Amino acid sequence: MDIEQIRKDTPGCHDKLFLNSAGSSLPPKTVNERIIEYLEEEERYGGYRLAEMKRAGIAGFYQEAALLLNTSSKNIAFTSSATESFARVLSAIPFNSGDVILTTDNDYVSSFLQFLSLKERFGVEIERIQHLENGDLDLEQAAKMMEQHQPKLVTLAHIPTSSGLVQDAEAIGKLCREHDCLFLLDACQSAGQLPLDVNQLNCDFLSATGRKFLRGPRGTGLLYVSDHALNQGLAPLFIDLRGATWTEPGKYELSRKARRFEQWEMPYALMMGLKEAIGYANQVGLENIARKNSALSNLLRKELAGLKGVQVYDRGSHKASIITFKKENLTIQDHVHMLQENNVFFSVTSRDSAIYDYTEKGVEQLVRLSPHYFNTEEEISDLAEIIEQI
Ligand SMILES: Cc1ncc(COP(=O)(O)O)c(C=O)c1O
């Protein structure tokens, strides 16, 4: 990995300690260049003509995303966020009263809100796979729950928003195949930091966002839809003329591709930005990114463990590049003040984003740091010194 070149390509990384790639990362400068180029051409030609002229470039978005996930272009949809991808999948599943959604304690807040909304409106039941003491999913219990509940949908956050836990998506995918359940993987925090192979993961759907570890623009997301799901005729409840063709007064035909999950109106300039970001990640290599991130986050956890009064809250036998911590006897405001004063960019995660997890950990708020491969070991050491002084 050519870290010097990577940092040269990242204008935002030089004048601060940027540790918020789990929030909204720093894009490579070519991402904005592609967006601006496209917008300037829209100014000259108008959006409709330009989209026709750029057909090959637009197809390139689907190819890059397919390469990222080891699938085909036809299985990729562009969306505006991970939440939109997720909601479109939920709307595609014909839930009836009593149907079970099987999830985990570490799923995203908006996912839980959507499950609760489905429960209120359609009587869907929500069940959760339990975890072991170290935070890993209890796979034996997961198998039993699939047997017992025959869930209509199994879904989990690969990496939650609120800690560095990596949930064993591959093992759950395998169980879903064995039990013939639909599997929706929320890869919002893993896309761009871990290699993802939808065939190995055995997922029917995978949702992701552009702005986090993929380093794309805000307002972008993507969705993978398997052939298994497409062949079942699953489609969002509110399709539009991109996803289907109105063939007769009372009939329509669904697109055979994942684009049935898209809407006709799209921000093509942003799509070009996301294509550039994914292309950049593909070129650096997801294995390389994962290795570097693992080194950075292990170093940060080790440094924090050596500091008096600091408690790190991440669990699991496999941890990602999200580090959550707090210093004893200090308020979160004390942490925020000190970190901001030292030009550290970070997030604070609150219990209302992680009701099950933070209740179990007995915390209201934690500081969340999320290094990415453009960060350096020196930055991690500088950060540890700042945290020591809080
Ligand atoms: C695990 C996880 N899933 C889903 C989302 C939602 O992503 P978006 O805001 O792009 O909809 C987030 C955002 O933080 C997340 O961390």
Side-chain angles (χ1 to χ4, degrees):
M1 187 181 281
D2 184 350
I3 184 69
E4 239 175 72
Q5 185 59 47
I6 286 167
R7 286 180 69 81
K8 255 192 219 157
D9 294 343
T10 308
C13 75
H14 303 285
D15 60 348
K16 60 182 80 67
L17 285 177
F18 189 88
L19 291 138
N20 199 12
S21 288
S24 190
S25 190
L26 296 175
K29 67 173 183 291
T30 47
V31 168
N32 276 3
E33 283 169 8
R34 294 294 94 77
I35 295 171
I36 291 164
E37 268 166 25
Y38 196 94
L39 289 174
E40 282 174 351
E41 288 194 89
E42 276 192 346
E43 191 177 68
R44 282 174 65 197
Y45 299 108
Y48 284 10
R49 172 59 69 87
L50 188 67
E52 275 170 29
M53 289 161 61
K54 294 286 179 185
R55 206 170 283 169
I58 290 168
F61 161 77
Y62 297 88
Q63 286 154 10
E64 281 297 350
L67 193 61
L68 179 79
L69 301 176
N70 190 28
T71 185
S72 310
S73 300
K74 72 171 179 10
N75 297 98
I76 299 292
F78 174 86
T79 66
S80 65
S81 68
T83 301
E84 194 206 352
S85 300
F86 199 91
R88 285 178 167 262
V89 173
L90 289 187
S91 87
I93 299 170
F95 287 111
N96 295 310
S97 176
D99 284 344
V100 170
I101 296 176
L102 183 59
T103 184
T104 74
D105 286 342
N106 279 288
D107 275 65
Y108 189 58
V109 42
S110 303
S111 307
F112 275 114
L113 295 173
Q114 291 169 9
F115 303 152
L116 290 171
S117 176
L118 283 169
K119 183 182 168 102
E120 271 179 25
R121 213 172 269 203
F122 300 111
V124 166
E125 306 286 342
I126 309 157
E127 297 287 344
R128 289 176 288 118
I129 301 168
Q130 299 306 301
H131 54 262
L132 305 171
E133 219 165 295
N134 73 349
D136 287 350
L137 287 172
D138 183 341
L139 295 174
E140 267 178 39
Q141 193 244 3
K144 280 189 199 138
M145 290 192 92
M146 287 194 203
E147 196 71 51
Q148 182 189 346
H149 296 290
Q150 307 278 321
K152 194 118 176 190
L153 176 71
V154 178
T155 178
L156 62 92
H158 201 180
I159 301 170
T161 202
S162 47
S163 80
L165 175 74
V166 181
Q167 306 215 80
D168 193 345
E170 207 174 311
I172 296 295
K174 196 159 165 277
L175 286 174
C176 288
R177 274 295 160 270
E178 285 164 17
H179 290 82
D180 197 21
C181 302
L182 287 170
F183 178 32
L184 162 58
L185 180 63
D186 169 0
C188 187
Q189 294 290 1
S190 54
Q193 73 156 316
L194 297 180
L196 295 173
D197 177 336
V198 289
N199 301 308
Q200 227 167 307
L201 289 163
N202 265 309
C203 54
D204 294 291
F205 304 97
L206 178 149
S207 54
T209 208
R211 73 184 181 282
K212 297 181 186 287
F213 287 93
L214 279 175
R215 307 180 63 199
R218 291 202 70 174
T220 61
L222 59 91
L223 174 67
Y224 157 78
V225 186
S226 65
D227 287 334
H228 179 243
L230 289 172
N231 294 339
Q232 285 183 43
L234 296 177
L237 181 56
F238 297 113
I239 38 169
D240 82 355
L241 69 166
R242 177 144 179 99
T245 308
W246 195 15
T247 49
E248 284 176 48
K251 275 193 179 163
Y252 64 87
E253 254 174 42
L254 286 173
S255 158
R256 283 198 295 233
K257 300 181 181 177
R259 77 167 51 158
R260 75 172 72 144
F261 283 79
E262 294 180 344
Q263 284 179 335
W264 189 84
E265 177 51 7
M266 293 226 254
Y268 286 105
L270 293 182
M271 185 196 262
M272 293 304 99
L274 182 56
K275 171 183 152 187
E276 179 66 25
I278 297 175
Y280 194 94
N282 283 337
Q283 209 161 19
V284 175
L286 270 299
E287 297 282 353
N288 294 332
I289 293 173
R291 204 172 312 117
K292 174 79 190 284
N293 284 10
S294 172
L296 290 171
S297 53
N298 286 342
L299 177 64
L300 180 51
R301 286 198 187 92
K302 195 168 141 227
E303 295 262 12
L304 291 179
L307 298 182
K308 199 164 160 268
V310 170
Q311 190 167 354
V312 178
Y313 284 84
D314 308 315
R315 298 196 298 191
S317 52
H318 180 190
K319 294 188 196 73
S321 206
I322 295 183
I323 295 99
T324 52
F325 80 98
K326 188 178 162 323
K327 259 188 146 173
E328 275 169 15
N329 305 325
L330 290 178
T331 66
I332 286 294
Q333 211 39 50
D334 296 329
H335 294 72
V336 169
H337 184 71
M338 187 69 175
L339 291 169
Q340 280 180 348
E341 204 148 81
N342 284 279
N343 217 11
V344 180
F345 283 54
F346 63 100
S347 273
V348 169
T349 310
S350 303
R351 190 177 151 271
D352 59 9
S353 286
I355 290 269
Y356 293 114
D357 188 34
Y358 280 19
T359 303
E360 194 180 326
K361 289 173 177 168
V363 292
E364 277 302 321
Q365 287 188 311
L366 293 174
V367 177
R368 184 184 73 176
L369 300 169
S370 44
H372 208 5
Y373 62 95
F374 54 76
N375 289 120
T376 63
E377 278 80 3
E378 295 75 52
E379 286 184 312
I380 300 296
S381 301
D382 291 349
L383 180 67
E385 277 178 28
I386 294 166
I387 293 170
E388 190 172 18
Q389 287 161 30
I390 299 178

